[in-house]
Amino acid sequence: MAPTELEEVRGVIAARLPGAVVGFDGTTPEGALLVQRERLIEVCRLLRDDGALQFKLALFCTAVDWLDREPRFDLVYQLRSLERGTTVRLKVGVPETPGEMPWIPSTTGVWQAMGWLEREVYDLFGIDFRGHPDQRRLMMPVDWEGHPLRKDYISFGEAVKFSDRESFAPDSAVPRGAPD
Amino acid sequence: MGIETPGGPGYGGPLSFPNQPHSHPTPPSAGELLTASLGHNFVTTSVNKVVAWGRYNSMWPALFGLACCAIEMMGTGGPKFDMARFGAEVFRASPRQADLMIVAGRVSQKMAPVLRQIYDQMPEPKWVISMGACASCGGMFNNYAIVQGVDKVVPVDVYVPGCPPRPEALLDAVLKLQRKIRAQAVAAPAS
Amino acid sequence: MIRTPGTSQGAGAEVNREGIPVDISGAAEPGYLEGLTYVGETPEGPLMELNMGPQHPSTHGVLRLVLRVEGEVVRHSDPDVGYLHTGFEKDFERVTYHQGVTWTDRMDYLNPLGNNLGYCLAVEKLLGIEIPPMAQWTRVMLTELTRLNSHLVWLGTHAIDIGAMSVFLYCFREREDILRIFEMYSGQRMMTSYFRIGGLALEPPPNSAARF
């Protein structure tokens, strides 16, 4: 999506919900709007319902784990408007607070397709989507412990030794998360 | 011998044509008389060999195609690399009716108990071919999600390397398994 | 013998759906008929919960559906996925961008070159590099052939699901020709990893147009 269209979307949001969009992420060619976590649902509703924008299609919801950054997680939402043929990307920073899971309000009420996409993020990153109607693990077995796509989750495999030289061996030989 | 037989001079001998008059230096034995009178209409073998022959020539695979190797397995059943000529064409969906499980594809942690359950549901005798690198050793996925080799879950008879193995490789595995069954019949007469 | 909702174990007064008393004293332990549970009544008849498990000829790969059926009509289905979760994303974290091409082959394994293309285009967009025209044309040709491959598998397996086995054989016969083309270009039938960041892995073989 050309930056000019992204600016247009940002302008519309700024007019209706001042202060919701806190920045612009220009690291990728498409660009993304940084949104505050508390105002996320309002912004999403506006993007969906506004006559000029009409972002009714939820393409994906994923997360990035910046292990040593504050906030730790970045939730990324990609939305598409079929009427206008444009796409917009939202990024929401989710901090990690000790004692509870990192949380974000669930956008399932706005786009029903986000239901499973958020379940996947919950399963693999351990982010609690408050208000999700059916939050349970999607990919991993139900009794799995741990959230595999977090950067501090060591993906165990087997230390494979080919003949007389040591080959790739992951850091930890002890399986994490697999119930015995 | 002076008897011109069809098929070239290498064929036959004194007993190649039954009921033909010929001269013997010694009296014929009972076996020779039997062969002479009945010809080559009997085959003698052992029960084990016949049972094994029946088993390995009609191994019915259970449908267990999981991922990419399943496509090559389907290709092996296809017209070019016909698996039917070795008796293994009938892919049964129900494990109760199958005796060969070709684990074709990567087995995830969630799928492993299902794999074991399907294996347990197959009646004896049963064999397992681990097709592909992922089934044999976890393949290129050395991570949390994939079981590093299905031999952690079920006992495997033949491993086939490749990603995915060519259909000829899978056929080679089936033939190796056939030889294995034949050899086991000879080696274990009590079973 | 079917256990109706609300029956107790070993009561001896079980009735089947026709209302005829049946004797279940010889039946197996409780839970034996777990896959066949009547979970409710609709106006038209009883609702049965059926597990269409991950190993099933029609799921083509592994997909588990917990169905609530009423006769032959499916009233509700609850999919249970994750039986082929491979951990691609975690593996991508530890390899270079260039090595990642081999992982993309296995994602949609009916369309390996298409996945290669998507990944390579994304990385080339991030790098801002342009591909030579011959590589672009070759990429388009081979991607379309892969699409053909994928659709042939779909058609063949769909036909075999509804009972027409010859179509399956015809489709796989055509597939063999296309796989020979891939083998000619890259040495591998299926998981070719032929597209790389910046172009192709190998120079197309000489006289490839005629052999095509």
Side-chain angles (χ1 to χ4, degrees), chain A residues 101-149:
Chain A
M101 283 175 80
W103 66 269
I104 191 173
S106 164
T107 48
T108 314
V110 184
W111 298 283
Q112 220 180 356
M114 287 293 189
W116 274 36
L117 300 166
E118 291 180 347
R119 264 179 74 186
E120 180 186 356
V121 176
Y122 162 71
D123 185 8
L124 297 173
F125 283 94
I127 295 177
D128 181 23
F129 288 87
R130 296 201 173 158
H132 195 285
D134 184 22
Q135 181 163 267
R136 54 193 163 104
R137 285 197 179 265
L138 188 68
M139 318 269 211
M140 306 308 297
V142 175
D143 51 355
W144 195 264
E145 288 166 20
H147 300 280
L149 277 187

Short mmCIF file of all heavy atoms in Angstrom, two decimals, chain A residues 101-149:
data_model
loop_
_atom_site.label_atom_id
_atom_site.label_comp_id
_atom_site.label_asym_id
_atom_site.label_seq_id
_atom_site.Cartn_x
_atom_site.Cartn_y
_atom_site.Cartn_z
N MET A 101 -0.30 -12.98 32.10
CA MET A 101 0.06 -13.10 30.70
C MET A 101 -0.07 -11.74 30.03
O MET A 101 -0.92 -10.94 30.41
CB MET A 101 -0.90 -14.06 30.00
CG MET A 101 -0.62 -15.52 30.26
SD MET A 101 -1.88 -16.53 29.52
CE MET A 101 -1.35 -16.57 27.84
N PRO A 102 0.76 -11.49 29.04
CA PRO A 102 0.56 -10.26 28.27
C PRO A 102 -0.82 -10.31 27.60
O PRO A 102 -1.24 -11.33 27.10
CB PRO A 102 1.67 -10.30 27.21
CG PRO A 102 2.27 -11.64 27.30
CD PRO A 102 1.90 -12.27 28.57
N TRP A 103 -1.53 -9.18 27.64
CA TRP A 103 -2.91 -9.23 27.19
C TRP A 103 -3.17 -8.13 26.18
O TRP A 103 -2.47 -7.12 26.11
CB TRP A 103 -3.87 -9.10 28.37
CG TRP A 103 -3.80 -7.76 29.04
CD1 TRP A 103 -3.00 -7.42 30.08
CD2 TRP A 103 -4.55 -6.59 28.70
NE1 TRP A 103 -3.19 -6.12 30.43
CE2 TRP A 103 -4.14 -5.58 29.59
CE3 TRP A 103 -5.53 -6.31 27.75
CZ2 TRP A 103 -4.68 -4.29 29.55
CZ3 TRP A 103 -6.05 -5.03 27.71
CH2 TRP A 103 -5.63 -4.04 28.60
N ILE A 104 -4.22 -8.33 25.42
CA ILE A 104 -4.68 -7.34 24.45
C ILE A 104 -6.16 -7.60 24.24
O ILE A 104 -6.59 -8.75 24.35
CB ILE A 104 -3.88 -7.46 23.12
CG1 ILE A 104 -4.16 -6.27 22.22
CG2 ILE A 104 -4.17 -8.76 22.43
CD1 ILE A 104 -3.32 -6.21 21.01
N PRO A 105 -6.96 -6.58 24.00
CA PRO A 105 -8.38 -6.87 23.75
C PRO A 105 -8.57 -7.62 22.45
O PRO A 105 -7.86 -7.40 21.47
CB PRO A 105 -9.02 -5.48 23.70
CG PRO A 105 -7.92 -4.53 23.52
CD PRO A 105 -6.70 -5.13 24.07
N SER A 106 -9.52 -8.49 22.43
CA SER A 106 -9.73 -9.33 21.26
C SER A 106 -10.57 -8.60 20.23
O SER A 106 -11.54 -7.94 20.55
CB SER A 106 -10.46 -10.61 21.69
OG SER A 106 -10.98 -11.25 20.56
N THR A 107 -10.17 -8.72 18.98
CA THR A 107 -10.92 -8.08 17.90
C THR A 107 -11.92 -9.04 17.27
O THR A 107 -12.41 -8.79 16.18
CB THR A 107 -9.96 -7.58 16.80
OG1 THR A 107 -9.05 -8.63 16.50
CG2 THR A 107 -9.22 -6.37 17.24
N THR A 108 -12.21 -10.13 17.94
CA THR A 108 -13.16 -11.09 17.37
C THR A 108 -14.54 -10.48 17.24
O THR A 108 -15.31 -10.86 16.37
CB THR A 108 -13.23 -12.33 18.27
OG1 THR A 108 -11.91 -12.72 18.60
CG2 THR A 108 -13.90 -13.47 17.55
N GLY A 109 -14.85 -9.53 18.11
CA GLY A 109 -16.15 -8.89 18.00
C GLY A 109 -16.27 -8.03 16.75
O GLY A 109 -17.36 -7.77 16.26
N VAL A 110 -15.13 -7.58 16.25
CA VAL A 110 -15.16 -6.72 15.08
C VAL A 110 -15.12 -7.55 13.80
O VAL A 110 -15.93 -7.38 12.90
CB VAL A 110 -13.96 -5.74 15.12
CG1 VAL A 110 -14.03 -4.78 13.97
CG2 VAL A 110 -13.94 -5.02 16.45
N TRP A 111 -14.15 -8.48 13.72
CA TRP A 111 -14.08 -9.37 12.58
C TRP A 111 -14.09 -10.79 13.12
O TRP A 111 -13.19 -11.19 13.87
CB TRP A 111 -12.78 -9.19 11.79
CG TRP A 111 -12.59 -7.85 11.20
CD1 TRP A 111 -13.20 -7.36 10.10
CD2 TRP A 111 -11.72 -6.83 11.68
NE1 TRP A 111 -12.76 -6.09 9.85
CE2 TRP A 111 -11.85 -5.74 10.81
CE3 TRP A 111 -10.83 -6.74 12.75
CZ2 TRP A 111 -11.14 -4.58 10.97
CZ3 TRP A 111 -10.12 -5.58 12.93
CH2 TRP A 111 -10.28 -4.51 12.03
N GLN A 112 -15.07 -11.56 12.71
CA GLN A 112 -15.16 -12.91 13.25
C GLN A 112 -14.01 -13.78 12.81
O GLN A 112 -13.65 -14.72 13.50
CB GLN A 112 -16.47 -13.54 12.78
CG GLN A 112 -17.12 -14.35 13.86
CD GLN A 112 -18.41 -14.98 13.40
OE1 GLN A 112 -18.88 -14.75 12.28
NE2 GLN A 112 -19.00 -15.78 14.24
N ALA A 113 -13.39 -13.44 11.68
CA ALA A 113 -12.28 -14.26 11.20
C ALA A 113 -11.09 -14.22 12.12
O ALA A 113 -10.25 -15.11 12.11
CB ALA A 113 -11.85 -13.79 9.81
N MET A 114 -11.02 -13.18 12.95
CA MET A 114 -9.90 -13.08 13.87
C MET A 114 -9.95 -14.15 14.94
O MET A 114 -8.99 -14.34 15.68
CB MET A 114 -9.88 -11.70 14.54
CG MET A 114 -9.44 -10.59 13.64
SD MET A 114 -7.71 -10.76 13.22
CE MET A 114 -7.40 -9.23 12.42
N GLY A 115 -11.05 -14.86 15.05
CA GLY A 115 -11.20 -15.85 16.11
C GLY A 115 -10.07 -16.86 16.12
O GLY A 115 -9.34 -17.03 17.10
N TRP A 116 -9.89 -17.52 14.99
CA TRP A 116 -8.85 -18.53 14.94
C TRP A 116 -7.47 -17.95 14.84
O TRP A 116 -6.50 -18.51 15.32
CB TRP A 116 -9.11 -19.46 13.74
CG TRP A 116 -10.04 -20.56 14.08
CD1 TRP A 116 -11.10 -20.51 14.91
CD2 TRP A 116 -9.96 -21.89 13.62
NE1 TRP A 116 -11.70 -21.71 14.98
CE2 TRP A 116 -11.02 -22.59 14.19
CE3 TRP A 116 -9.08 -22.56 12.75
CZ2 TRP A 116 -11.24 -23.93 13.93
CZ3 TRP A 116 -9.31 -23.89 12.49
CH2 TRP A 116 -10.37 -24.57 13.08
N LEU A 117 -7.35 -16.77 14.18
CA LEU A 117 -6.04 -16.16 14.07
C LEU A 117 -5.53 -15.79 15.45
O LEU A 117 -4.34 -15.95 15.77
CB LEU A 117 -6.13 -14.92 13.17
CG LEU A 117 -6.60 -15.22 11.75
CD1 LEU A 117 -6.97 -13.93 11.04
CD2 LEU A 117 -5.53 -15.92 10.97
N GLU A 118 -6.42 -15.29 16.30
CA GLU A 118 -5.99 -14.95 17.65
C GLU A 118 -5.74 -16.19 18.48
O GLU A 118 -4.86 -16.21 19.35
CB GLU A 118 -7.05 -14.05 18.31
CG GLU A 118 -7.11 -12.70 17.67
CD GLU A 118 -8.14 -11.80 18.30
OE1 GLU A 118 -8.96 -12.29 19.08
OE2 GLU A 118 -8.10 -10.59 18.02
N ARG A 119 -6.47 -17.26 18.19
CA ARG A 119 -6.20 -18.51 18.91
C ARG A 119 -4.79 -18.99 18.60
O ARG A 119 -4.08 -19.50 19.46
CB ARG A 119 -7.19 -19.60 18.48
CG ARG A 119 -8.37 -19.75 19.39
CD ARG A 119 -9.28 -20.82 18.88
NE ARG A 119 -8.76 -22.15 19.09
CZ ARG A 119 -9.34 -23.25 18.62
NH1 ARG A 119 -10.43 -23.17 17.91
NH2 ARG A 119 -8.80 -24.42 18.86
N GLU A 120 -4.38 -18.81 17.34
CA GLU A 120 -3.03 -19.24 16.97
C GLU A 120 -1.99 -18.42 17.71
O GLU A 120 -1.00 -18.95 18.23
CB GLU A 120 -2.85 -19.08 15.46
CG GLU A 120 -1.48 -19.50 14.99
CD GLU A 120 -1.28 -19.19 13.53
OE1 GLU A 120 -2.23 -18.70 12.88
OE2 GLU A 120 -0.16 -19.42 13.04
N VAL A 121 -2.21 -17.12 17.80
CA VAL A 121 -1.24 -16.28 18.50
C VAL A 121 -1.22 -16.63 19.98
O VAL A 121 -0.17 -16.66 20.62
CB VAL A 121 -1.56 -14.79 18.28
CG1 VAL A 121 -0.63 -13.92 19.07
CG2 VAL A 121 -1.42 -14.46 16.82
N TYR A 122 -2.39 -16.91 20.54
CA TYR A 122 -2.43 -17.32 21.95
C TYR A 122 -1.63 -18.60 22.15
O TYR A 122 -0.86 -18.73 23.09
CB TYR A 122 -3.87 -17.53 22.39
CG TYR A 122 -4.00 -18.35 23.65
CD1 TYR A 122 -3.62 -17.83 24.88
CD2 TYR A 122 -4.49 -19.65 23.61
CE1 TYR A 122 -3.71 -18.59 26.03
CE2 TYR A 122 -4.58 -20.41 24.75
CZ TYR A 122 -4.19 -19.88 25.96
OH TYR A 122 -4.28 -20.64 27.08
N ASP A 123 -1.80 -19.53 21.22
CA ASP A 123 -1.14 -20.83 21.36
C ASP A 123 0.37 -20.69 21.23
O ASP A 123 1.12 -21.23 22.03
CB ASP A 123 -1.68 -21.75 20.26
CG ASP A 123 -1.15 -23.16 20.38
OD1 ASP A 123 -0.50 -23.48 21.38
OD2 ASP A 123 -1.40 -23.94 19.46
N LEU A 124 0.81 -19.93 20.24
CA LEU A 124 2.23 -19.94 19.94
C LEU A 124 3.01 -18.85 20.66
O LEU A 124 4.21 -18.98 20.82
CB LEU A 124 2.44 -19.81 18.43
CG LEU A 124 1.87 -20.96 17.62
CD1 LEU A 124 1.97 -20.68 16.15
CD2 LEU A 124 2.58 -22.24 17.94
N PHE A 125 2.35 -17.77 21.07
CA PHE A 125 3.06 -16.68 21.74
C PHE A 125 2.63 -16.49 23.18
O PHE A 125 3.34 -15.84 23.94
CB PHE A 125 2.83 -15.35 21.00
CG PHE A 125 3.63 -15.23 19.75
CD1 PHE A 125 3.10 -15.57 18.54
CD2 PHE A 125 4.92 -14.77 19.80
CE1 PHE A 125 3.83 -15.47 17.38
CE2 PHE A 125 5.67 -14.66 18.65
CZ PHE A 125 5.13 -15.00 17.44
N GLY A 126 1.46 -16.99 23.54
CA GLY A 126 1.04 -16.83 24.92
C GLY A 126 0.52 -15.46 25.24
O GLY A 126 0.75 -14.94 26.32
N ILE A 127 -0.19 -14.87 24.29
CA ILE A 127 -0.80 -13.55 24.53
C ILE A 127 -2.28 -13.77 24.77
O ILE A 127 -2.95 -14.44 24.00
CB ILE A 127 -0.56 -12.64 23.31
CG1 ILE A 127 0.93 -12.38 23.20
CG2 ILE A 127 -1.33 -11.35 23.47
CD1 ILE A 127 1.30 -11.56 22.01
N ASP A 128 -2.76 -13.20 25.86
CA ASP A 128 -4.14 -13.42 26.27
C ASP A 128 -5.03 -12.40 25.57
O ASP A 128 -4.84 -11.20 25.71
CB ASP A 128 -4.20 -13.25 27.80
CG ASP A 128 -5.58 -13.47 28.34
OD1 ASP A 128 -6.38 -14.16 27.66
OD2 ASP A 128 -5.88 -12.98 29.43
N PHE A 129 -5.99 -12.88 24.83
CA PHE A 129 -6.91 -11.98 24.12
C PHE A 129 -8.16 -11.85 24.97
O PHE A 129 -8.97 -12.75 25.04
CB PHE A 129 -7.25 -12.55 22.74
CG PHE A 129 -6.11 -12.45 21.78
CD1 PHE A 129 -5.16 -13.44 21.72
CD2 PHE A 129 -5.98 -11.36 20.95
CE1 PHE A 129 -4.09 -13.35 20.85
CE2 PHE A 129 -4.92 -11.25 20.08
CZ PHE A 129 -3.97 -12.24 20.02
N ARG A 130 -8.29 -10.72 25.63
CA ARG A 130 -9.41 -10.56 26.55
C ARG A 130 -10.69 -10.35 25.78
O ARG A 130 -10.78 -9.47 24.94
CB ARG A 130 -9.15 -9.37 27.47
CG ARG A 130 -7.96 -9.61 28.32
CD ARG A 130 -7.93 -8.78 29.53
NE ARG A 130 -6.82 -9.18 30.39
CZ ARG A 130 -6.27 -8.42 31.30
NH1 ARG A 130 -6.72 -7.20 31.48
NH2 ARG A 130 -5.28 -8.85 32.04
N GLY A 131 -11.66 -11.17 26.10
CA GLY A 131 -12.93 -11.07 25.40
C GLY A 131 -13.05 -12.07 24.26
O GLY A 131 -14.04 -12.05 23.53
N HIS A 132 -12.08 -12.93 24.13
CA HIS A 132 -12.18 -13.93 23.06
C HIS A 132 -13.19 -14.99 23.44
O HIS A 132 -13.16 -15.51 24.54
CB HIS A 132 -10.81 -14.57 22.86
CG HIS A 132 -10.67 -15.33 21.59
ND1 HIS A 132 -11.26 -16.55 21.38
CD2 HIS A 132 -10.05 -15.02 20.43
CE1 HIS A 132 -10.98 -16.97 20.18
NE2 HIS A 132 -10.25 -16.05 19.57
N PRO A 133 -14.11 -15.34 22.55
CA PRO A 133 -15.15 -16.30 22.93
C PRO A 133 -14.65 -17.72 23.16
O PRO A 133 -15.26 -18.47 23.89
CB PRO A 133 -16.12 -16.25 21.75
CG PRO A 133 -15.33 -15.72 20.62
CD PRO A 133 -14.30 -14.82 21.19
N ASP A 134 -13.54 -18.08 22.55
CA ASP A 134 -13.16 -19.50 22.61
C ASP A 134 -11.65 -19.62 22.57
O ASP A 134 -11.08 -20.09 21.60
CB ASP A 134 -13.79 -20.23 21.40
CG ASP A 134 -13.52 -21.71 21.44
OD1 ASP A 134 -13.24 -22.25 22.52
OD2 ASP A 134 -13.57 -22.35 20.36
N GLN A 135 -11.00 -19.16 23.62
CA GLN A 135 -9.55 -19.12 23.57
C GLN A 135 -8.98 -20.44 24.06
O GLN A 135 -9.00 -20.74 25.24
CB GLN A 135 -9.04 -17.98 24.45
CG GLN A 135 -7.54 -17.85 24.42
CD GLN A 135 -7.08 -16.51 24.93
OE1 GLN A 135 -6.89 -15.58 24.17
NE2 GLN A 135 -6.93 -16.40 26.24
N ARG A 136 -8.50 -21.24 23.14
CA ARG A 136 -7.81 -22.46 23.51
C ARG A 136 -6.77 -22.74 22.46
O ARG A 136 -6.72 -22.08 21.44
CB ARG A 136 -8.81 -23.62 23.62
CG ARG A 136 -9.65 -23.84 22.41
CD ARG A 136 -10.80 -24.76 22.70
NE ARG A 136 -11.78 -24.63 21.63
CZ ARG A 136 -11.96 -25.52 20.66
NH1 ARG A 136 -11.26 -26.61 20.63
NH2 ARG A 136 -12.86 -25.32 19.71
N ARG A 137 -5.96 -23.71 22.72
CA ARG A 137 -4.84 -23.99 21.84
C ARG A 137 -5.33 -24.48 20.49
O ARG A 137 -6.27 -25.24 20.41
CB ARG A 137 -3.92 -25.05 22.46
CG ARG A 137 -3.10 -24.49 23.58
CD ARG A 137 -1.95 -25.40 23.88
NE ARG A 137 -1.12 -24.90 24.94
CZ ARG A 137 -0.01 -24.19 24.75
NH1 ARG A 137 0.35 -23.88 23.54
NH2 ARG A 137 0.70 -23.78 25.77
N LEU A 138 -4.62 -24.07 19.47
CA LEU A 138 -5.04 -24.45 18.12
C LEU A 138 -4.12 -25.48 17.51
O LEU A 138 -4.56 -26.50 16.99
CB LEU A 138 -5.05 -23.19 17.24
CG LEU A 138 -5.64 -23.33 15.86
CD1 LEU A 138 -7.11 -23.59 15.94
CD2 LEU A 138 -5.40 -22.06 15.07
N MET A 139 -2.83 -25.23 17.55
CA MET A 139 -1.90 -26.10 16.84
C MET A 139 -1.29 -27.17 17.72
O MET A 139 -1.08 -28.30 17.32
CB MET A 139 -0.74 -25.27 16.30
CG MET A 139 -1.13 -24.00 15.71
SD MET A 139 -1.44 -24.25 14.00
CE MET A 139 -0.98 -22.71 13.38
N MET A 140 -0.93 -26.80 18.93
CA MET A 140 -0.24 -27.75 19.80
C MET A 140 -1.26 -28.60 20.53
O MET A 140 -2.43 -28.23 20.63
CB MET A 140 0.63 -27.01 20.81
CG MET A 140 1.61 -26.03 20.21
SD MET A 140 2.63 -26.73 18.92
CE MET A 140 3.52 -27.96 19.81
N PRO A 141 -0.83 -29.75 21.04
CA PRO A 141 -1.77 -30.54 21.84
C PRO A 141 -2.29 -29.74 23.03
O PRO A 141 -1.63 -28.83 23.52
CB PRO A 141 -0.92 -31.73 22.31
CG PRO A 141 0.19 -31.80 21.35
CD PRO A 141 0.42 -30.44 20.83
N VAL A 142 -3.45 -30.12 23.49
CA VAL A 142 -4.14 -29.33 24.50
C VAL A 142 -3.35 -29.23 25.78
O VAL A 142 -3.37 -28.20 26.47
CB VAL A 142 -5.53 -29.95 24.75
CG1 VAL A 142 -6.24 -29.24 25.87
CG2 VAL A 142 -6.36 -29.86 23.51
N ASP A 143 -2.58 -30.27 26.10
CA ASP A 143 -1.86 -30.25 27.37
C ASP A 143 -0.41 -29.82 27.20
O ASP A 143 0.42 -30.09 28.06
CB ASP A 143 -1.94 -31.63 28.02
CG ASP A 143 -1.53 -32.71 27.04
OD1 ASP A 143 -1.29 -32.39 25.86
OD2 ASP A 143 -1.47 -33.88 27.44
N TRP A 144 -0.09 -29.14 26.12
CA TRP A 144 1.29 -28.69 25.90
C TRP A 144 1.61 -27.55 26.86
O TRP A 144 0.78 -26.69 27.12
CB TRP A 144 1.44 -28.22 24.45
CG TRP A 144 2.84 -28.07 23.99
CD1 TRP A 144 3.57 -26.93 23.95
CD2 TRP A 144 3.67 -29.08 23.47
NE1 TRP A 144 4.80 -27.16 23.44
CE2 TRP A 144 4.90 -28.49 23.14
CE3 TRP A 144 3.51 -30.46 23.25
CZ2 TRP A 144 5.96 -29.21 22.60
CZ3 TRP A 144 4.57 -31.17 22.71
CH2 TRP A 144 5.77 -30.55 22.40
N GLU A 145 2.84 -27.52 27.33
CA GLU A 145 3.25 -26.42 28.20
C GLU A 145 4.20 -25.53 27.43
O GLU A 145 5.10 -26.00 26.76
CB GLU A 145 4.00 -26.95 29.43
CG GLU A 145 3.10 -27.64 30.41
CD GLU A 145 3.91 -28.43 31.41
OE1 GLU A 145 5.11 -28.13 31.57
OE2 GLU A 145 3.35 -29.35 32.01
N GLY A 146 4.02 -24.26 27.59
CA GLY A 146 4.93 -23.35 26.92
C GLY A 146 4.35 -22.83 25.64
O GLY A 146 3.37 -23.35 25.10
N HIS A 147 4.95 -21.77 25.15
CA HIS A 147 4.48 -21.14 23.93
C HIS A 147 5.63 -21.13 22.96
O HIS A 147 6.57 -20.33 23.08
CB HIS A 147 3.96 -19.74 24.24
CG HIS A 147 2.83 -19.77 25.22
ND1 HIS A 147 1.54 -20.06 24.83
CD2 HIS A 147 2.77 -19.60 26.55
CE1 HIS A 147 0.75 -20.05 25.88
NE2 HIS A 147 1.47 -19.77 26.94
N PRO A 148 5.57 -21.99 21.94
CA PRO A 148 6.78 -22.29 21.16
C PRO A 148 7.42 -21.13 20.43
O PRO A 148 8.63 -21.12 20.28
CB PRO A 148 6.28 -23.34 20.17
CG PRO A 148 5.12 -23.97 20.82
CD PRO A 148 4.48 -22.91 21.61
N LEU A 149 6.62 -20.15 19.92
CA LEU A 149 7.27 -19.16 19.08
C LEU A 149 7.90 -18.02 19.87
O LEU A 149 8.40 -17.07 19.28
CB LEU A 149 6.29 -18.60 18.05
CG LEU A 149 6.14 -19.48 16.81
CD1 LEU A 149 5.29 -18.77 15.78
CD2 LEU A 149 7.46 -19.82 16.21
#
